[in-house]
Amino acid sequence: MQGLPSFCPRPRDLRRGAVLTFAFAGVVTAAAAMGCWDGAGAAGAPGSGLTTAAAPPGEAGPGPGGAAPGTADREAVARAAAEAVAEGKSGKKAAQEVVSRSGDRWGVVYDRAEFQDFADGLDGRWTGVGLWPERRADGAIAIARVQPGGPAARAGITAGDRLVAVDDRPVTGLKTAEVVALLRGGAGTPVALRTARGGTEASRTVHREQLRADPVTVRSLPGGVTVIKVAAFTRGSGARVRDAVRAAPPGGGVLLDLRGNPGGLVTEAVAAASAFLDGGLVATYDVRGEERALYADRGGDTARPLVALVDAGTMSAAELVAGALQDRGRAVAVGTRTFGKGSVQMPTQLPDGSVAELTVGTYRTPGGRSLDGTGVTPDLPAPDRAEERARTVLGGLGVGP
């Protein structure tokens, strides 16, 4: 690993906690699993998560290096790694054991190669089999998405299948990041996957590949409706959304499709929200009790009718966008309740070069809502035919045939 990537603070900043990584994401954990490209970073670093909140503003939060309930003490994590390295053992394994005992549900430790894969994932490229795993409440690992044309898709694996084992190791009960670690590997290397569908199990061996995804796609519908689908907030996606809005026909409406979006870089999410706002608050977040804020750039399109499509696969940074546009009265949210992942992580570089991402707080929408564990509730519930319902909403706003 050639040092931490540009979106991540340098080691001195990490130790001081001067810059946070904001991990909003399903992106990183999930993507890393298939090849690595999960989660996201704000202020410029990666992470992923949801769970604990730091002390409210005005109340005493944990001191430097301290940990709020349900989070790992970063000094304890670093100390465990250093002691393990001094004894010739794995610093990453020792650090992960501390994180696991802490109750930090979204805390994760990356080794050098994993962290580099993670960085590549934020550029929309990674090495893997092309599937996104997610852990259900019962501990089962479901396949949330499959990369079209990727190794998993060519092997007949589809979204909704359950992942039972990777290279004969059962994955039920593992964290998503742990499943991701089992799925990652070098391009061309084989990996055996056992999946289940409707009570029937199947095994197949696939080979990892270099994969790339287009995070933003645009299509036009009759009546001047533009559909902007954001698959993940990887680098450059915010500008792509802005350009698509500017290119939309005058007087037309926009369907911003955030369904299945696992999150990504918070800076890109804010840029995407800015395409529809003229400045103002996008979200607030706390880091060990200290509240900070994210603001939209000025000059966005505030007049064009807008509907945001969301579902249970809308996570982290994508929820930040949906919640901001909803609270600001800028978009009508249509679909089903979102995942409810909205925590902040901070990266710490460990003595062996690995990186621990630990939860330090949560974020809130402009209206003060914490989406952590609750998600965004759509203005118009639509478990079926959501796009059709969204077009009806735009019709009521004077857009469409």
Side-chain angles (χ1 to χ4, degrees):
M1 183 174 68
Q2 305 168 344
L4 297 178
S6 60
F7 55 80
C8 190
R10 305 329 291 180
R12 179 178 300 179
D13 294 323
L14 296 179
R15 289 194 297 270
R16 293 180 178 177
V19 184
L20 106 141
T21 140
F22 229 5
F24 283 80
V27 180
V28 164
T29 319
M34 331 129 256
C36 252
W37 81 294
D38 184 330
S48 102
L50 142 158
T51 45
T52 53
E59 295 183 18
T71 68
D73 185 322
R74 70 179 185 273
E75 291 184 355
V77 172
R79 184 166 55 251
E83 291 173 353
V85 170
E87 296 173 2
K89 300 177 182 178
S90 169
K92 176 195 171 183
K93 183 177 180 181
Q96 189 61 63
E97 288 175 352
V98 175
V99 173
S100 297
R101 290 196 302 268
S102 73
D104 188 339
R105 180 181 176 189
W106 300 105
V108 63
V109 182
Y110 299 99
D111 64 25
R112 293 169 183 258
E114 290 168 343
F115 197 76
Q116 186 58 57
D117 284 346
F118 171 82
D120 289 343
L122 294 175
D123 283 323
R125 55 190 172 85
W126 70 96
T127 300
V129 301
L131 66 79
W132 280 251
E134 67 178 7
R135 176 173 167 167
R136 294 175 176 166
D138 62 359
I141 301 298
I143 296 172
R145 273 174 58 204
V146 176
Q147 173 79 9
R154 295 198 302 271
I157 296 172
T158 63
D161 289 352
R162 183 166 61 87
L163 185 61
V164 178
V166 176
D167 285 334
D168 293 325
R169 177 178 175 181
V171 297
T172 300
L174 297 183
K175 291 183 177 180
T176 303
E178 293 172 324
V179 179
V180 170
L182 294 175
L183 290 169
R184 69 176 298 277
T189 58
V191 57
L193 306 177
R194 187 159 80 248
T195 60
R197 182 188 305 167
T200 301
E201 292 192 2
S203 297
R204 66 268 285 177
T205 297
V206 300
H207 290 78
R208 301 175 177 95
E209 295 178 1
Q210 287 284 337
L211 300 171
R212 191 169 187 88
D214 189 348
V216 180
T217 55
V218 183
R219 57 189 172 93
S220 299
L221 299 178
V225 176
T226 299
V227 181
I228 303 175
K229 169 68 176 178
V230 186
F233 287 108
T234 52
R235 194 168 284 107
S237 57
R240 294 277 298 278
V241 171
R242 179 198 62 211
D243 292 345
V245 173
R246 291 176 177 173
V254 169
L255 295 184
L256 180 64
D257 191 348
L258 300 174
R259 292 174 297 179
N261 184 322
L265 290 164
V266 174
T267 48
E268 297 295 339
V270 172
S274 298
F276 305 99
L277 300 170
D278 186 22
L281 187 64
V282 173
T284 59
Y285 62 95
D286 55 71
V287 178
R288 297 193 176 89
E290 179 182 346
E291 187 172 279
R292 306 175 192 181
L294 297 167
Y295 294 95
D297 294 331
R298 299 190 66 84
D301 188 329
T302 60
R304 189 183 298 276
L306 174 65
V307 171
L309 285 167
V310 298
D311 66 5
T314 305
M315 305 179 190
S316 303
E319 292 178 283
L320 179 150
V321 173
L325 295 176
Q326 186 183 55
D327 277 11
R328 295 283 299 274
R330 185 61 191 88
V332 177
V334 175
T336 57
R337 187 169 69 87
T338 63
F339 186 85
K341 188 180 232 178
S343 66
V344 180
Q345 278 69 40
M346 184 173 288
T348 296
Q349 191 171 45
L350 303 177
D352 62 347
S354 57
V355 176
E357 294 235 342
L358 310 176
T359 302
V360 295
T362 57
Y363 76 88
R364 292 176 174 77
T365 66
R369 292 182 293 161
S370 171
L371 303 179
D372 197 28
T374 58
V376 173
T377 300
D379 301 297
L380 177 63
D384 301 303
R385 304 193 309 276
E387 184 172 309
E388 179 183 327
R389 300 291 296 277
R391 292 179 64 181
T392 300
V393 171
L394 285 179
L397 298 173
V399 178

